[in-house]
Every structure is written in C-alpha cells, then in structure tokens.
Amino acid sequence: MALSIHALILLLERCLMNRPARTRFAPSPTGRMHLGGARTALYDYLLARQSGGQFILRIEDTDTRRTVPGSEQELIEGLRWLGLEYDEGPDVGGPYAPYRQSERREIYHHYAWELVEKGAAYPCFCSPERLERVRKERQAQKLNTGYDGFCRHLDPDEARRRVRQGEPHVIRFKAPREGTTTAVDLLRGPITTPNFMIDDYILLKSDGLPTYHLAAMVDDHLMGITHVIRGSEWLSTFPLHVLIVRAFGWEEPLWVHLSVFLKPSGKGKMSKRDASLAMDSGYSIYIGDLRALGYVPEGVLNWIALMGWGVEGDDVMTLEEMVRRFDLKHLNPAPAAINFSKLDHFSGVHIRRLPTAELARRLQPYLPAADLPLLERIVPLIRERLITLDEAPQWVDFLFQDEVHPQPGELVGKNMSVEQTKQVLRRALEILESFPELEAKAIEAPLRALVEELGLSAGQVFGVLRVAVTGKTVSPPLMESMEVLGRERTLNRLRKALQLLEAQSVTEGA
Ligand code: GLU
C-alpha cells in the first residue's frame, strides 16, 4: 500500500510538471483502422504536440496468426490522411528503431530472462494438452481457470537445464499470491486488485515471440513513453502490467484508459454487424471508409475528438486548436454512443471553413472535368451545401453536361400557366441577350425587375429559369450558376426550354 501511495504522488507530480510527453500509438495490424484507434492516436498526438514532446507509431505485430496483410499500410495511410504526423515509426525511423515488434524479438527474450533472473518469472513446460485438461477440471470444480502454477515451483537450475536442452517452454510471470496491487488510471483513479486474481500470464510464447503484456511494457520503457493512452479493454490486465513494470524496477508511465464506444442507440458496444449496418446508411466506423465517403479529415477529427473529451465552449476545432485546448483532465471515462449526425455536422462546418483554393483542390478528384481555376469558381456555389465532398457532382453536374433535359412538368412553375412560363423565358432571354457576359452581380437587378414586371413571385420566375438552366428544381444560387455556366450555354438552354414548351403547346393545341 505504501508503494501505491508513493506511486500515486509521483504520478500526480509528473502530471503537474507538464514535461514533454512521449506518447505512442501502438496498433496491432490485425484489421482496419477504426474510430477507437483514431481517437487514441489523436489524443496521443495532441498531448505530444502540446507539450513539445514526440508522438510515436509502433506496430505490435507479435501475434502473427492475427496479422492481416495490408493493415499496417492502412493504418499509416489513415494517420497521414487525418494529419497525425508521427515523429518516429517503422517507415520514418527514429532513435529507438525498430518500431515493429516482430523485429525486436531478441530484446524481449533478453528482458523475459531478466525477470526470470530476478525471480519474477519462470519457464513453464506444460503442454497445451495438460493446460486444457487442467482448465476443464478447474471449470468443473468452479475454480478460476487461470494457470494452476504447476511449473512455478520447479527448481530454477533444473528449469534452466531443461530450457538449455531445448524442451519447448513459455516464460510466465510469477504474479504475487498475497496482498493487493493498486494501479492508478488517470481518469478513474486508483484501482486495487487482490493479487490472487492475477494470473501467471505468459510473457514469452513457445515460438519465442512475446505477448502484448511483455512487449508493450518493455517497449514503453525503452522508448521513454511518459503516457500510455489506450483502450479500456486493457483495464482487466492493467494490474498485471503495473506489476511487470514494477518487477523490472522501472518508472511507471501515466496510464489513461479511454472510454468505449457504444452503438448509436447507446445499447451495447459496436459489433461487426453494427459496422456494416452503418455502412448501409452511408456511414462507417472505419477511417478508410469515411475518407471514401467524402468526409473531410478535419470533420472526422473534430467528431472523434469529442467522443470522450468534455470540451468547454466552442466545440468546432481544427487540429491546431485542439493542440492548444486539449486537457487530459477533461477526458471522460464513461462510454460514448456514436452519433453519426454529429459527423455530418462537423464535416459540413469544416468544409465551410476551408479556404477556397484548398476546397477546390480537394474537390478535384470528384470533378475531374474541371481544372483548378474553374473549381475555384464553383466552390462559392456549393460550399454552403456540402456535407461530404462526394456530393459536389450532384450539385454541379449541369455545368459539365452539353445539354440538360428539363421535364416540361417541372419547367412550368407552381400556380403558373404554360403561357406565363413561356413569357418568363422570352423576357429573361431578351434581358440576358443584352449583356455581353453574364455576371451574377450585373444580371441580378434586371431579373428581379422582371419579377415585378410580370406580377409573379421571385420563386416562380427563378424556379422556371433554374429548371431551364440546370435541369433541376434544386440547384446552387441561380445567377452565380449562370455566370459559371457562361453566356452562350445559358442562353441556349433558355431557348431550348422555350422551344420545348412551344412544341408542347402545339401538340396540346392539335
Ligand atoms: N496493440 C494493442 C492494441 O492494438 C495496443 C494497446 C496499447 O496501446 O497499449 O490493442
């Protein structure tokens, strides 16, 4: 107990000192990069940048059976797209390379045996068959199914001899049987666990590769990690982890276990099935999908930042603003329900905040027929309307079509006759033909005057012109659309619409 209070004071002191943080994002390349991983990486990044420290990417790939080819690349691309640049990592190197755990095998071997030498770990020769039999027996007796400690009391010299002779073995942690262990999580405070509940976990597997428990503790120490920010799934083995660090005699990092994400209904954790349901409705929990769906990284970051961070005041933030305002003390350990309409909100807000040239550049892949100067003219037409970048074509496709095909039924406005509609088109043509080019500012007043002149509403007159020029009842602002479309094409479309109605009147008259 004395130690844990001492540790607690040390931790708090360090927290207050605000020394440069070295944080790491340590994903296992076992699947796709999702919101949970991205949020951990974001908080790691914010803390490192804010304190003038470093943010590290470490790939935890020692569970080779679960490794999914391509997932390391997806993680790296996800981080780059989000703008979470790391200072050290497998592809950029750094003073503590290698940053891929599969390339650090000898290091873990060395440290596993250091624990054996210290009497805090031991080789275990139990076969998988024996372990399975014991597990079943204990289950039947309603005992806990952890390791029964068969090899714990082997004579150390005898055990070493068997290892030297090449007998298959693992290295297990020798968890204390008496007393309690207090581990301090920054968000949850001290967590005390009776030691008999802590299993003799495997540290080094029979294939010579470490488990997470050993590899992560060793690397966090060797890489000088000051804050371990990770998912709450690690809370159950948290006491083991602090015991391992203490057995080595190392200084503990600050531990932060983040909240879990719940499905949008708030009932239960997100499952694979929920993830595909989200996709069916145009959303996703995977970073690569959100990118493909046309969300902007600024919006995605803002959205995930607030899942567990109780920010005070304006919650619209760029990455730089988050760096300034981030505070571990404001993180909330309570589960957070995923709210996709907030994603839409933040994506739209951040699209509107992008400078014109930047938004134009980002829209280029979605509107390949337009060059940058044209895109910069299109941006003001649609900026206010976009939630995702991929919506751009549906707003401005009429600019890239040779002709549009308005429906006669849509051309003729509400409570208007065909005759009145033709009149609108004829008069608009006369007005616009008198301009050498169609500048939105210049044509606005005469077109508004036309509304007066015809005794119709603005909605009626502009509705007719909108359908004639864009082929649709909903479009970006009309005058600006005409300006970007250009004089010739605008006039042609108005003439075509007029002809369409005239042809129709003839048919109807016949
Ligand atoms: N490799 C672990 C995971 O992907 C990392 C947990 C941690 O950050 O320590 O869950």
Side-chain angles (χ1 to χ4, degrees):
M1 199 61 200
L3 175 72
S4 52
I5 289 172
H6 179 64
L8 179 59
I9 292 167
L10 279 180
L11 296 178
L12 290 175
E13 261 179 16
R14 179 154 356 120
C15 204
L16 295 173
M17 270 167 28
N18 215 8
R19 70 179 186 185
R22 276 180 63 81
T23 57
R24 86 299 187 276
F25 175 45
S28 301
T30 53
R32 307 195 55 200
M33 184 179 189
H34 52 71
L35 297 179
R39 183 185 57 176
T40 304
L42 171 62
Y43 292 170
D44 279 327
Y45 174 91
L46 297 178
L47 199 64
R49 290 289 167 273
Q50 181 178 69
S51 63
Q54 293 85 34
F55 169 49
I56 294 147
L57 172 65
R58 185 173 74 218
I59 301 293
E60 302 205 324
D61 57 348
T62 59
D63 192 348
T64 43
R65 282 163 316 155
R66 291 182 57 225
T67 296
V68 174
S71 76
E72 177 179 325
Q73 202 44 40
E74 180 174 329
L75 283 157
I76 288 178
E77 276 164 21
L79 290 173
R80 293 260 150 78
W81 179 69
L82 290 168
L84 303 178
E85 290 292 331
Y86 40 90
D87 306 294
E88 300 166 27
D91 55 336
V92 298
Y96 302 92
Y99 291 91
R100 217 176 265 114
Q101 288 187 328
S102 58
E103 295 162 22
R104 299 169 64 80
R105 195 186 259 262
E106 292 75 28
I107 298 176
Y108 309 121
H109 187 268
H110 167 86
Y111 282 99
W113 278 94
E114 181 173 322
L115 283 188
V116 175
E117 297 305 324
K118 286 178 184 295
Y122 59 92
C124 166
F125 306 92
C126 292
S127 65
E129 295 74 29
R130 175 179 185 274
L131 293 175
E132 184 53 22
R133 187 167 32 83
V134 172
R135 198 184 62 81
K136 285 206 173 115
E137 282 167 15
R138 291 176 69 91
Q139 208 166 26
Q141 294 167 39
K142 299 217 170 7
L143 290 171
N144 88 37
T145 51
Y147 181 58
D148 66 349
F150 186 75
C151 294
R152 197 178 153 108
H153 308 292
L154 287 179
D155 171 55
D157 292 333
E158 163 73 4
R160 255 187 225 104
R161 191 185 54 73
R162 287 171 68 178
V163 168
R164 271 200 304 276
Q165 285 174 351
E167 193 171 332
H169 64 280
V170 300
I171 304 283
R172 284 184 186 273
F173 188 63
K174 199 182 227 172
R177 289 283 187 255
E178 311 288 324
T180 58
T181 295
T182 298
V184 183
D185 170 79
L186 210 61
L187 309 186
R188 295 164 171 84
I191 302 170
T192 299
T193 313
N195 287 335
F196 73 84
M197 289 179 67
I198 304 171
D199 199 4
D200 282 1
Y201 280 91
I202 295 177
L203 302 177
L204 206 63
K205 296 178 281 183
S206 55
D207 61 4
L209 281 168
T211 57
Y212 169 80
H213 313 305
L214 177 70
M217 298 314 116
V218 167
D219 286 344
D220 287 342
H221 170 70
L222 294 180
M223 295 180 179
I225 300 304
T226 56
H227 297 68
V228 168
I229 302 179
R230 58 184 187 178
S232 57
E233 68 271 25
W234 296 109
L235 273 172
S236 58
T237 42
F238 181 26
L240 168 75
H241 299 152
V242 303
L243 282 175
I244 293 174
V245 174
R246 290 173 194 169
F248 278 114
W250 294 335
E251 189 183 352
E252 271 182 64
L254 283 171
W255 307 91
V256 183
H257 294 88
L258 300 174
S259 60
V260 289
F261 288 149
L262 301 179
K263 50 179 104 183
S265 64
K267 296 195 185 100
K269 283 205 231 170
M270 278 299 276
S271 65
K272 281 237 161 76
R273 189 169 163 272
D274 299 314
S276 61
L277 281 180
M279 198 62 191
D280 290 344
S281 40
Y283 296 113
S284 180
I285 59 163
Y286 299 111
I287 300 303
D289 289 347
L290 294 176
R291 178 183 188 173
L293 287 166
Y295 287 99
V296 290
E298 291 85 348
V300 173
L301 280 176
N302 203 155
W303 179 52
I304 55 180
L306 299 179
M307 291 192 209
W309 170 11
V311 64
E312 288 166 6
D314 184 7
D315 61 2
V316 176
M317 295 178 282
T318 60
L319 193 53
E320 295 73 54
E321 286 162 332
M322 289 187 222
V323 168
R324 251 188 297 112
R325 294 175 57 190
F326 185 66
D327 190 339
L328 280 174
K329 286 199 284 297
H330 293 157
L331 297 189
N332 184 345
I338 296 175
N339 181 341
F340 287 114
S341 53
K342 284 203 177 152
L343 169 62
D344 284 344
H345 166 73
F346 283 118
S347 185
V349 168
H350 282 282
I351 284 180
R352 293 197 282 284
R353 278 179 147 212
L354 289 177
T356 301
E358 176 60 17
L359 182 51
R361 195 185 61 73
R362 296 207 204 174
L363 286 174
Q364 204 153 37
Y366 299 91
L367 298 168
D371 59 9
L372 274 178
L374 175 56
L375 284 166
E376 291 195 20
R377 297 177 68 207
I378 291 175
V379 162
L381 298 186
I382 56 175
R383 171 186 272 136
E384 297 296 320
R385 292 166 165 73
L386 295 180
I387 299 284
T388 53
L389 299 173
D390 69 337
E391 291 169 349
Q394 81 203 35
W395 284 106
V396 292
D397 52 359
F398 67 91
L399 293 174
F400 304 98
Q401 291 156 352
D402 289 336
E403 37 187 289
V404 290
H405 303 282
Q407 301 299 312
E410 287 184 351
L411 260 178
V412 179
K414 255 208 190 121
N415 304 324
M416 285 174 77
S417 66
V418 174
E419 246 348 280
Q420 280 174 312
T421 307
K422 288 198 291 195
Q423 186 64 3
V424 169
L425 289 165
R426 260 189 233 115
R427 287 289 297 122
L429 269 164
E430 281 165 17
I431 293 168
L432 295 176
E433 274 163 355
S434 70
F435 284 87
E437 51 188 306
L438 304 186
E439 267 182 70
K441 282 206 189 77
I443 61 178
E444 168 128 20
L447 288 180
R448 293 216 175 265
L450 177 63
V451 173
E452 294 275 310
E453 174 195 314
L454 298 177
L456 293 165
S457 72
Q460 288 174 314
V461 171
F462 296 151
V464 172
L465 301 181
R466 183 186 313 283
V467 175
V469 170
T470 69
K472 295 189 274 214
T473 52
V474 180
S475 80
L478 180 62
M479 321 293 169
E480 284 77 2
S481 297
M482 289 179 170
E483 175 175 330
V484 178
L485 188 63
R487 184 177 187 277
E488 286 324 302
R489 286 199 294 168
T490 302
L491 295 181
N492 278 340
R493 289 182 187 187
L494 293 174
R495 288 186 197 115
K496 273 248 159 78
L498 187 57
Q499 283 164 12
L500 181 72
L501 290 185
E502 274 163 358
Q504 223 198 9
S505 328
V506 173
T507 335
E508 271 169 22

